Amino acid sequence: MLLTFIVTVAILAVLYVLINICNKIIPRPDYDFSTGATKSLLIFVHTAFLISFSVMASEIIIYFFSNNQSALWGVYGTFLFFAILELAVLYGLYFTYEAIKGDEVCVRRFFTVKKIKINDIRSINKVGPLTFVFRNRYNEGLFLVDTFTKGVSELIRIINEKNSDATSDESTEARIAQEKAVLTEIGREYRATYKQRRKKLIISFSLGGTAVLSGIALLMFAIGTGTVMIAVICVIGALAFVFNLIVFLLGMKKELHEDNVSLGNKHKFENKRVKGASKNKFKIICIFSVSLMFTGAVFMLPLLGILGHRPKNYAELTRVTGTLEYCREYGGTSSYIAIGLCDLPTEYHLTSVYLYEFDYSFFDDVEVGDTVTVFVDNDEAREPSRKGDDKTQWNHIYYLATDDKEYFTYDDYIKSRERNNRSGFIIVGVGIAAIVASAVTLISAYFVCKRRAKKEDIIIYK
């Protein structure tokens, strides 16, 4: 846990410093006009990050004085989320903007720089109280600008002024007619391939769904999930795939009611010769890869638990013997067995991680009033999490026995932890594989799309 806190704080500090240094040393291109971030918003984001960073840094000190690891992890996760979000916002404020150079608007975002002809912007509308949307002649959104952006009013004024000075000549009309003819042809070709695309979609969904559900089933089996649970998850997953397939098929059929120009405009980038098709393809791959990377990162979270919790030493455990008052099993997402001993305020829990090794004959052999021995750790007892609990606090148990029989031994505890760690490492392995596969896909797609972009020769209004 301590190592995780130190490494995280160090990484956040380095990222924060790098963003600020890059903002100072990387010059912005020479534009006629450029928007920027308001000073008040920059101050707010800097302050918010420093607060989140300070809380996480203070946890390094608090770690030496607090035994409540759950609370420390909770605060860590919460403020790590806010710190990452604030770094992303800070990067956006510094390095994303809108600028005008000649007759073009340059729109810089996190991963792209988009250049749009000013005379291609046909309308500017305010959507809600916080956003302006810039649209083309097809009423498609070209880019968005929030109302907090410094210089947004001047940007709109310049665009409107330049558009008002532009005149429509015969060459422009000819270009529009030519683009419409191209879109009509693309739409006609798209309509003609409906049956092939429908068949391909069904096959892709079937094979993809089978592969995904098989992978999930194998993963659940590897981490020790029950057969019934695996079957339930697979059935629910299969129904979800079928439902999505039906929705996609209905959407494809509904598209056939649109005219060829609309179809061509909607699917123009599916034609590899259209200018911008490779860029659009890479954008889709980028979104998918980043999403998969995020999923892989989530799958790696069990590593924090594995590395942050060492097994309890047998010599550190405390023996508690008493008369059994009750013994219950609670189900749900966090199932556990609760044992209460007479005249003791603490309820003793054997959590779900250890139930596989637990000898359930305990419920048949032991009755209320029998003498029971448990081993507990020396951590401070926790507050009860269920309303109406019989005891005022609870603690983990690592050994359970009567005078005649052991039902959960220290060796069982070690075996349970080892099995749980193996399951965690399997999940972490899947996460690492997802991140690596996403990175390889993203890098490969970049070079492939860049090569294909050179063969694009059909220019259509964007």
Side-chain angles (χ1 to χ4, degrees):
M1 174 184 281
L2 180 61
L3 179 61
T4 303
F5 289 170
I6 295 174
V7 171
T8 303
V9 168
I11 292 174
L12 290 176
V14 170
L15 290 176
Y16 179 72
V17 172
L18 281 176
I19 290 175
N20 284 279
I21 290 176
C22 290
N23 177 57
K24 296 293 184 182
I25 65 174
I26 297 178
R28 185 171 294 194
D30 185 22
Y31 294 116
D32 300 333
F33 172 80
S34 178
T35 61
T38 58
K39 186 175 181 180
S40 58
L41 189 56
L42 281 171
I43 293 174
F44 173 80
V45 176
H46 277 287
T47 304
F49 173 79
L50 291 174
I51 291 174
S52 299
F53 179 81
S54 299
V55 171
M56 296 187 66
S58 66
E59 285 212 316
I60 299 175
I61 300 174
I62 297 174
Y63 171 84
F64 295 99
F65 302 98
S66 175
N67 293 322
N68 193 340
Q69 294 189 355
S70 298
L72 289 176
W73 280 118
V75 173
Y76 167 83
T78 301
F79 282 92
L80 176 61
F81 169 79
F82 283 116
I84 294 174
L85 179 63
E86 287 146 6
L87 283 177
V89 173
L90 185 62
Y91 177 89
L93 292 175
Y94 279 146
F95 301 107
T96 64
Y97 52 84
E98 301 77 33
I100 292 178
K101 180 72 172 179
D103 62 346
E104 289 183 332
V105 177
C106 300
V107 182
R108 181 181 177 86
R109 295 298 182 251
F110 280 91
F111 302 107
T112 61
V113 177
K114 186 177 183 181
K115 294 184 178 181
I116 302 168
K117 293 292 184 182
I118 289 180
N119 60 10
D120 287 341
I121 301 174
R122 297 305 175 88
S123 64
I124 303 173
N125 308 110
K126 194 172 184 180
V127 181
L130 301 177
T131 307
F132 288 103
V133 58
F134 294 70
R135 302 181 188 275
N136 61 18
R137 77 163 67 100
Y138 301 109
N139 205 35
E140 295 175 330
L142 297 173
F143 61 95
L144 302 174
V145 181
D146 63 75
T147 56
F148 295 110
T149 300
K150 183 180 179 181
V152 62
S153 298
E154 182 68 10
L155 175 71
I156 294 173
R157 186 193 67 77
I158 295 174
I159 290 174
N160 288 334
E161 187 177 274
K162 286 181 177 289
N163 274 333
S164 65
D165 295 337
T167 57
S168 177
D169 53 20
E170 292 182 1
S171 62
T172 302
E173 295 297 329
R175 179 173 64 87
I176 293 174
Q178 183 181 9
E179 289 176 356
K180 186 175 181 180
V182 173
L183 291 175
T184 301
E185 181 62 26
I186 292 175
R188 186 182 296 115
E189 292 176 356
Y190 184 82
R191 189 188 303 277
T193 59
Y194 168 72
K195 290 185 178 180
Q196 295 94 312
R197 289 184 290 103
R198 184 177 183 275
K199 181 179 179 181
K200 183 178 179 181
L201 181 67
I202 293 174
I203 294 175
S204 299
F205 256 86
S206 301
L207 295 178
T210 301
V212 171
L213 291 177
S214 299
I216 292 174
L218 288 173
L219 177 61
M220 295 178 69
F221 176 78
I223 64 177
T225 307
T227 305
V228 175
M229 181 60 69
I230 294 176
V232 170
I233 295 296
C234 288
V235 169
I236 294 175
L239 292 175
F241 271 104
V242 171
F243 174 78
N244 281 280
L245 175 60
I246 293 173
V247 171
F248 276 102
L249 290 175
L250 291 175
M252 290 176 61
K253 190 173 183 180
K254 186 178 179 181
E255 276 187 335
L256 299 179
H257 298 293
E258 300 181 22
D259 60 84
N260 288 334
V261 176
S262 299
L263 274 179
N265 185 55
K266 183 184 292 185
H267 299 284
K268 57 181 177 286
F269 289 133
E270 294 179 22
N271 187 320
K272 296 180 181 179
R273 292 181 57 193
V274 173
K275 200 74 172 176
S278 298
K279 185 177 181 180
N280 184 72
K281 184 76 171 179
F282 179 73
K283 187 184 298 183
I284 294 173
I285 294 174
C286 187
I287 293 173
F288 174 78
S289 297
V290 171
S291 300
L292 192 58
M293 284 182 180
F294 178 79
T295 303
V298 172
F299 271 45
M300 292 180 66
L301 289 178
L303 192 61
L304 297 177
I306 294 173
L307 300 179
H309 293 81
R310 64 177 182 84
K312 298 293 181 180
N313 192 306
Y314 184 81
E316 297 174 352
L317 301 178
T318 301
R319 178 190 181 99
V320 178
T321 301
T323 302
L324 182 67
E325 181 179 348
Y326 61 85
C327 181
R328 305 166 187 152
E329 182 174 13
Y330 294 98
T333 55
S334 300
S335 57
Y336 64 92
I337 291 175
I339 294 175
L341 302 181
C342 295
D343 302 324
L344 293 178
T346 303
E347 183 176 81
Y348 301 102
H349 291 182
L350 190 64
T351 55
S352 58
V353 174
Y354 312 112
L355 296 185
Y356 187 83
E357 302 291 341
F358 174 67
D359 187 348
Y360 272 88
S361 65
F362 178 85
F363 289 98
D364 298 323
D365 300 342
V366 184
E367 299 179 352
V368 172
D370 289 350
T371 301
V372 172
T373 297
V374 298
F375 284 7
V376 301
D377 56 38
N378 295 318
D379 293 343
E380 185 177 349
R382 292 86 172 162
E383 293 292 329
S385 56
R386 304 173 69 97
K387 293 183 179 180
D389 280 352
D390 299 83
K391 305 295 184 178
T392 58
Q393 57 190 20
W394 70 272
N395 204 349
H396 292 289
I397 60 175
Y398 305 91
Y399 175 89
L400 174 63
T402 62
D403 294 336
D404 303 319
K405 185 178 179 181
E406 294 178 321
Y407 294 92
F408 185 78
T409 65
Y410 181 77
D411 288 339
D412 293 332
Y413 160 69
I414 295 299
K415 290 179 183 177
S416 299
R417 281 192 58 87
E418 290 175 348
R419 184 170 61 270
N420 186 63
N421 288 348
R422 284 196 300 270
S423 301
F425 280 122
I426 291 173
I427 296 175
V428 170
V430 172
I432 293 174
I435 292 175
V436 171
S438 300
V440 171
T441 300
L442 197 58
I443 295 171
S444 302
Y446 172 77
F447 290 104
V448 171
C449 291
K450 191 174 182 179
R451 185 177 68 250
R452 289 180 177 176
K454 298 177 181 179
K455 301 178 182 179
E456 298 171 352
D457 55 3
I458 300 176
I459 301 176
I460 298 178
Y461 180 91
K462 296 182 183 179

